[in-house]
Amino acid sequence: MEFRIDSGVLTDAVAWAARVLPARSPMPVLGGLLLEAADGRLRVSGLDHEASARIEVEADTDVEGRALVLGRRLLDICKVLPRGRTELAVEGARLSVTSGDARFGLSLLPLDDYPTPPVLPEVRGLVDGDAFAAAVGQVAVAAGRDDSLPVLTGIRLALDGTTMTLAATDRYRYAVRTLEWKPEAGAAGEDADVVVPARRLTEIARSLAGAGPARLALDGGSIGFESDGLRTTTRLLDGRLPRHDKLFTLGDPALAVTERAPLTEAVKRVAVVAEGDSPVQLTFTPTSIHLQAGYEDDIASQRLPSTLSGTETLTVAFNPGYLLDALATLDSPEVHFHLLGPGQRALLTDGPGAAHRHLLMSVKPLV
């Protein structure tokens, strides 16, 4: 195998494929990246037991072939290569990497021991890469981090006709986002409801941003995406997230509306005196919102313009980190608080008919 490629293109391709490599594995070959050069293209592939990634880029192929090398070592080399054309060639038991006056040699791993990469599941349809990346980012903040409850570390992806629903919860907050997608003509038309590891789906979504329409593929055990030379798969999580329908039905809540950016800055400002997870208190009136945090002598407060309908006054309190996460995922200049009362559910949206909704549990207000 022998080919020439721009060092920047090589680095980006290797970095994208290497993101699925396991940090540790009893199988050394799973730490490898498979390089395949043929027909003016370079294909870089990586996998572990849970996910796979493959990317194809243009390269000047002199000698077709395949090589398996330690992926993270190759990535380290790529990061320090001089800019410009880089030549890679198999020389005996090594892969040589030459760029300008710099030359590196990497030991080859045995190709015969490398597992067969998983095939892409059945393509179900198309989703816009930018819209999908934005939607995943909005819900991923609510996914759990506790690996003892694996299903809560995932993002629910449900397909219903031309509507895709993404949702995540860690039991203290629940984010939901809907977006349009285009089912594939002739593909399996049944609806789907699966849970995808949040970390994996976030990485995938970021790589799809700016790539145009992406093909979504799905079967009973894995999900895959393919777009513009990129292909990736990941295993699904067992179980189901709790349904959000009833949780998001608040009956007849009070409605408070305020500017999102000033509120975000005010929460950050008063939270500097909050100890650990101590709450930020929000007192809503028909004309203002009063923020307060801290206890005893260490306190902070700020008042902002706001409107309130449905009651004369209402005080709620939130974990400041959770509140800031929710505010950061909204798009509108205004944030709408749908409030039941202290210690109860609160729904944050961009406004009526919003595609993204973020549910927070309020906590006990400050004394």
Side-chain angles (χ1 to χ4, degrees):
M1 182 182 72
E2 184 176 343
F3 64 91
R4 285 165 285 117
I5 189 172
D6 180 80
S7 61
V9 174
L10 176 65
T11 301
D12 290 344
V14 169
W16 191 84
R19 64 190 176 82
V20 301
L21 298 181
R24 297 180 183 84
S25 174
M27 297 177 60
V29 291
L30 288 184
L33 285 180
L34 179 62
L35 309 181
E36 300 172 279
D39 301 324
R41 307 284 290 178
L42 170 68
R43 177 185 295 175
V44 185
S45 306
L47 57 83
D48 68 3
H49 295 296
E50 303 295 331
S52 71
R54 192 190 80 184
I55 181 170
E56 288 189 8
V57 293
E58 293 184 358
D60 295 326
T61 306
D62 296 323
V63 179
E64 297 182 358
R66 307 165 74 228
L68 183 67
V69 296
L70 284 174
R72 299 191 190 281
R73 179 63 56 83
L74 177 60
L75 180 57
D76 289 341
I77 290 173
C78 288
K79 289 178 179 179
V80 298
L81 288 175
R83 293 186 178 181
R85 301 296 285 176
T86 299
E87 181 176 330
L88 291 87
V90 172
E91 298 176 351
R94 278 195 174 87
L95 176 72
S96 69
V97 183
T98 304
S99 184
D101 295 329
R103 180 179 172 86
F104 302 86
L106 273 175
S107 299
L108 298 177
L109 298 174
L111 282 168
D112 292 343
D113 295 341
Y114 196 63
T116 302
V119 299
L120 192 71
E122 180 183 8
V123 174
R124 293 291 193 93
L126 298 174
V127 63
D128 180 77
D130 286 330
F132 184 71
V136 171
Q138 287 177 309
V139 302
V141 296
R145 307 292 190 270
D146 185 357
D147 290 331
S148 66
L149 298 169
V151 70
L152 294 184
T153 66
I155 292 175
R156 177 189 178 216
L157 189 152
L159 305 176
D160 183 5
T162 60
T163 300
M164 177 187 295
T165 300
L166 300 171
T169 181
D170 61 2
R171 296 181 298 177
Y172 306 105
R173 46 190 172 166
Y174 206 138
V176 175
R177 174 70 154 83
T178 58
L179 68 157
E180 294 297 309
W181 82 300
K182 183 179 180 181
E184 182 88 354
E190 68 270 14
D191 298 338
D193 193 339
V194 298
V195 181
V196 189
R199 182 177 66 84
R200 296 287 194 192
L201 192 60
T202 300
E203 291 175 346
I204 291 170
R206 287 172 180 167
S207 69
L208 295 177
R215 288 174 289 280
L216 185 156
L218 186 64
D219 62 20
S222 64
I223 190 169
F225 295 86
E226 187 175 44
S227 176
D228 193 26
L230 307 176
R231 174 182 288 188
T232 184
T233 65
T234 189
R235 289 186 181 275
L236 302 174
L237 293 173
D238 293 329
R240 292 286 183 268
L241 292 184
R243 301 288 298 190
H244 66 271
D245 311 69
K246 291 184 179 180
L247 288 173
F248 280 59
T249 302
L250 302 186
D252 188 22
L255 175 63
V257 181
T258 189
E259 295 292 318
R260 184 169 63 92
L263 177 60
T264 299
E265 293 305 311
V267 173
K268 292 178 181 177
R269 189 170 293 119
V270 302
V272 298
V273 299
E275 292 285 343
D277 292 331
S278 62
V280 169
Q281 179 174 289
L282 286 70
T283 299
F284 294 94
T285 72
T287 60
S288 69
I289 173 177
H290 181 248
L291 289 82
Q292 183 179 345
Y295 292 101
E296 299 179 348
D297 295 331
D298 297 329
I299 60 172
S301 65
Q302 184 172 346
R303 191 177 297 274
L304 298 172
S306 176
T307 63
L308 177 68
S309 58
T311 188
E312 288 299 316
T313 183
L314 186 61
T315 298
V316 292
F318 299 104
N319 175 301
Y322 291 174
L323 179 57
L324 289 171
D325 282 346
L327 292 172
T329 63
L330 300 175
D331 294 323
S332 171
E334 292 184 335
V335 54
H336 291 230
F337 286 84
H338 305 260
L339 303 166
L340 292 177
Q344 300 188 62
R345 305 187 306 279
L347 187 64
L348 280 65
T349 72
D350 288 317
H356 173 51
R357 297 170 291 164
H358 199 112
L359 191 76
L360 289 177
M361 285 301 300
S362 62
V363 297
K364 184 179 179 181
L366 303 172
V367 178

